[in-house]
Amino acid sequence: MKKHSNIPIFIPELACPHQCVFCDQQKISGTHSIPGPDDVKDIVERHLKTIPENRIISIAFFGGSFTGLPVDLMEQYLKEAFMYVKSGRVSGIRLSTRPDYINKSVLELLKKYRVTTIELGIQSTNREVLQRSGRGHTVDHIKDASYLISKYGFELGLQMMIGLPGDNYERSIQTASDIVSLGAVNTRIYPAIVIKGTTLEKFYHEGEYTPLTLKQAVEWTKDIVQIFETGNIAIIRMGLHPSEELITGKSLIAGPFHASFKEMVMTQIWKEILDTELNKFNTRKVKITVSNKQIHYAIGYRQANRELLNSRGYNVRFVSNPGFSKYQINVCNN
Ligand code: SF4
């Protein structure tokens, strides 16, 4: 199967009228330089030189609510990207936006320029969470936009956040199940964190908001991943992109940020699989065979699963087999 590569073009939405409590709009609209339509060609050419052959390549307008741009400006960006689709050098265009910035005329415009995938940042399907997070859209907006996007033949992506104000485990699980029912083909899972300068920082200092611990975020995400995998939804990302500001802690006030978040989640998924399989076995000296793509997750982030098994008295040897499917496992006497 061919691999995908995105050429990301970050266009944060200027002067966004919304007030999502977790978002630092000033940083988005102030300090970063925003590529204009004239810059698209340079960005795409630069990336095309570095992408290996035989990839399915998309130009991806990320970073804001693309369809909230003035129509003329949106069309200028699309025209630049479309030249690459027409020439066959790129196979499609994808973009991210808000559910309330989707309507029939926008979708017709996106169809004209052969946009393939629309990702909606929905964050939650719980009314209270949306309201307390200042999202400015309703659950109905999410349902209507998802329906229209699929009806027009676009691939639908729905992104969610966990641990927003008013959220709890059951509500996050419900959001994940709703994402499956709404027909998404891909998703991203982001734990809410407290960024400097946001309303959430104020809530946090006033004691009105407590972020999830890293352990909670990993546990919730582990269960959410299983819902998406059962629903056949591709998980494009779990955990925030480790920007320099987050890694150095410059803009991070509190919350479950970790550069290896996905590894931690996968470690927990494998811990459950190993527990189940080893419970069927009564010897302690075992060889565990798993897929070569999963072996580092099975061993665990910083060897967590291996060390846990050692501490329980197991003498374990992990072996990889490229023929194994994702969660396939074989345990035998070593
Ligand atoms: S996250 Fe919310 S406030 Fe921030 S740019 Fe997007 S819609 Fe606007």
Side-chain angles (χ1 to χ4, degrees):
M1 203 167 57
K2 278 192 183 178
K3 287 192 172 169
H4 279 85
S5 287
N6 281 339
I7 299 178
I9 302 179
F10 287 96
I11 307 175
E13 194 188 350
L14 293 172
C16 169
H18 301 286
Q19 290 168 346
C20 305
V21 295
F22 51 84
C23 174
D24 178 2
Q25 283 207 61
Q26 236 178 2
K27 191 169 294 134
I28 288 178
S29 56
T31 56
H32 296 279
S33 70
I34 299 165
D38 293 347
D39 299 314
V40 169
K41 191 173 171 204
D42 275 358
I43 299 171
V44 175
E45 290 294 341
R46 218 172 40 237
H47 277 84
L48 283 174
K49 283 187 193 132
T50 63
I51 296 174
E53 277 183 26
N54 253 331
R55 295 263 174 140
I56 300 171
I57 303 170
S58 297
I59 296 176
F61 292 109
F62 286 156
S65 302
F66 188 75
T67 57
L69 293 172
V71 176
D72 284 357
L73 183 58
M74 185 171 30
E75 205 162 356
Q76 285 177 45
Y77 282 111
L78 289 168
K79 273 184 185 154
E80 293 293 329
F82 184 54
M83 298 215 294
Y84 288 90
V85 179
K86 263 200 312 196
S87 68
R89 294 178 73 198
V90 153
S91 24
I93 303 171
R94 56 192 302 148
L95 55 93
S96 63
T97 192
R98 289 170 52 93
D100 50 340
Y101 286 173
I102 288 293
N103 57 46
K104 288 181 182 170
S105 64
V106 160
L107 293 178
E108 266 148 30
L109 184 74
L110 301 182
K111 256 287 91 106
K112 183 172 143 195
Y113 290 103
R114 280 204 251 152
V115 169
T116 43
T117 304
I118 301 174
E119 288 187 41
L120 295 180
I122 64 161
Q123 321 316 357
S124 174
T125 54
N126 182 273
R127 192 170 304 143
E128 189 193 332
V129 175
L130 292 179
Q131 196 256 323
R132 285 179 58 185
S133 301
R135 285 290 294 162
H137 66 76
T138 63
V139 178
D140 281 344
H141 282 124
I142 296 174
K143 290 183 185 161
D144 294 348
S146 301
Y147 170 75
L148 271 184
I149 288 169
S150 299
K151 187 173 165 220
Y152 271 75
F154 297 99
E155 262 190 17
L156 172 68
L158 295 175
Q159 311 170 4
M160 69 178 287
M161 290 177 76
I162 57 170
L164 284 169
D167 200 15
N168 57 35
Y169 174 80
E170 289 72 26
R171 288 175 175 181
S172 275
I173 292 293
Q174 186 59 53
T175 295
S177 305
D178 290 339
I179 285 176
V180 176
S181 317
L182 288 166
V185 296
N186 63 58
T187 187
R188 297 174 197 253
I189 313 161
Y190 297 116
I193 56 170
V194 182
I195 301 274
K196 205 175 198 162
T198 59
T199 308
L200 208 53
E201 181 186 9
K202 189 170 151 281
F203 288 173
Y204 173 70
H205 289 312
E206 288 169 353
E208 270 184 58
Y209 173 72
T210 309
L212 297 181
T213 62
L214 184 57
K215 189 164 182 274
Q216 282 173 317
V218 168
E219 277 295 317
W220 292 22
T221 307
K222 173 199 66 156
D223 293 348
I224 288 167
V225 165
Q226 285 162 358
I227 294 172
F228 288 143
E229 289 188 334
T230 308
N232 241 337
I233 296 188
I235 302 167
I236 299 177
R237 172 139 214 120
M238 48 180 117
L240 285 154
H241 183 72
S243 69
E244 205 189 311
E245 294 207 333
L246 287 178
I247 289 176
T248 56
K250 248 163 73 183
S251 60
L252 178 68
I253 300 293
F257 170 74
H258 197 289
S260 302
F261 187 76
K262 178 182 175 184
E263 283 74 11
M264 291 176 152
V265 173
M266 294 307 294
T267 296
Q268 286 306 307
I269 290 175
W270 272 100
K271 179 183 167 294
E272 286 187 358
I273 297 171
L274 292 167
D275 280 347
T276 310
E277 291 304 312
L278 289 172
N279 272 341
K280 298 177 193 164
F281 235 72
N282 51 17
T283 169
R284 302 258 138 181
K285 200 165 177 236
V286 289
K287 180 172 98 172
I288 297 173
T289 309
V290 298
S291 149
N292 55 327
K293 289 187 182 154
Q294 292 291 313
I295 189 160
H296 57 293
Y297 297 138
I299 292 171
Y301 172 67
R302 296 200 164 163
Q303 311 248 349
N305 288 337
R306 190 203 292 274
E307 282 176 12
L308 183 71
L309 295 176
N310 286 344
S311 73
R312 290 179 184 164
Y314 283 98
N315 178 345
V316 181
R317 186 158 69 94
F318 282 93
V319 177
S320 69
N321 183 330
F324 272 33
S325 59
K326 187 166 183 183
Y327 293 127
Q328 192 177 350
I329 179 168
N330 181 270
V331 182
C332 61
N333 284 324
N334 190 18

